[in-house]
């Protein structure tokens, strides 16, 4: 009964490919997020959706496109992958703006 | 733009010792502050959340304080155990200069804690 689940856990792909990471939460939360953790372990927000609407869109290349089919899901699609996209991507959710974030276990993306 | 700094970057202590982790932030107009732990290869686990109107929060052996005016928070761990070994991350939400969003959480780089048996 994992609260926030991401798939896949590991993703190894070549430059130029297109890939997707899926995220689902069963907590009934209204808000979902994508964070990127780089090789120096620094976590930075990429996107946030509240009730399927985009509310945060940081300076992220437009090769990254989030999609929220319903408030329990927030998927991340990445086009034309580059070496610099290699990182761990974390999905998270929260109930409103004043509640703790619940994180998934991350997807380690390696672009070769 | 909001910046969060955590000191020290790494800390190694013997089991049983009490310890303090420090976090500072540049924009004091925050909505809340959260402490997380991250185990290797895992996601983050929320430990404590302090609202901007609060001074501290406690959970078991953990106590987090917040001094918004000076832009500082501390996480106090009592009677440390080897199972406490992890990276501890501080994050602040909101802030006048965070793009106006109360949903945006800005993280520090973390403190890697090792508790030796």
């Amino acid at each position: 009964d994992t609260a926030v689940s991401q798939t896949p856990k590991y993703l190894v792909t070549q430059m130029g490919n297109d890939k997707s990471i899926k995220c689902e939460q069963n907590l009934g939360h209204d808000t979902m997020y994508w964070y990127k953790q780089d090789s120096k372990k620094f976590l930075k927000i990429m996107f946030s959706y509240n009730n399927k609407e985009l509310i945060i869109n940081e300076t992220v290349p437009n090769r990254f496109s989030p999609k929220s089919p319903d408030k329990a899901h927030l998927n991340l699609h990445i086009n034309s992958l580059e070496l610099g996209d290699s990182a761990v991507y974390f999905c998270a959710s929260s109930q409103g703006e004043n509640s703790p974030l619940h994180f998934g276990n991350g997807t380690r993306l390696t672009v070769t | 733009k909001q910046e969060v700094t955590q000191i020290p970057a790494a800390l190694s202590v013997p089991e049983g010792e009490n310890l303090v982790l420090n976090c500072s932030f540049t924009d004091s107009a925050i909505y809340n502050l959260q402490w997380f732990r991250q185990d290797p290869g895992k996601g983050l686990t929320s430990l404590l959340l302090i609202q901007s109107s609060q001074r501290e929060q406690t959970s078991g052996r953990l106590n987090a304080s917040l001094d918004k005016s000076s832009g500082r928070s501390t996480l106090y761990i009592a009677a440390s155990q080897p199972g406490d070994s992890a990276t501890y991350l501080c994050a602040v939400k909101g802030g006048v200069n965070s793009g106006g969003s109360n949903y945006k959480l800005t993280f520090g780089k973390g403190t890697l804690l090792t508790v030796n048996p």
Side-chain angles (χ1 to χ4, degrees), chain A residues 37-38 40-43, chain B residues 3-10 22-24 38 87-91 106-112:
Chain A
Q37 189 170 44
D38 60 26
K40 296 181 181 176
K41 307 294 184 188
F42 191 49
L43 260 171
Chain B
E3 291 183 3
V4 180
T5 303
Q6 290 188 245
I7 295 173
N22 296 293
C23 171
S24 61
Q38 184 175 23
T87 297
Y88 289 81
L89 293 136
C90 167
T106 303
F107 281 85
K109 293 187 178 180
T111 294
L112 175 61

Side-chain angles (χ1 to χ4, degrees), chain A residues 5-59:
Chain A
S5 58
Q6 300 178 224
T7 54
K9 186 172 174 62
Y10 299 98
L11 185 52
V12 181
T13 188
Q14 291 184 326
M15 283 175 56
N17 284 348
D18 303 338
K19 290 293 177 186
S20 292
I21 307 172
K22 295 186 177 181
C23 179
E24 176 182 5
Q25 54 96 3
N26 63 6
L27 297 166
H29 288 167
D30 291 331
T31 310
M32 295 186 73
Y33 311 79
W34 277 109
Y35 280 84
K36 178 180 179 180
Q37 189 170 44
D38 60 26
S39 57
K40 296 181 181 176
K41 307 294 184 188
F42 191 49
L43 260 171
K44 192 168 182 185
I45 191 164
M46 300 173 69
F47 301 103
S48 178
Y49 272 72
N50 185 49
N51 279 318
K52 302 195 308 175
E53 286 193 26
L54 183 65
I55 54 172
I56 295 174
N57 185 352
E58 286 296 285
T59 310

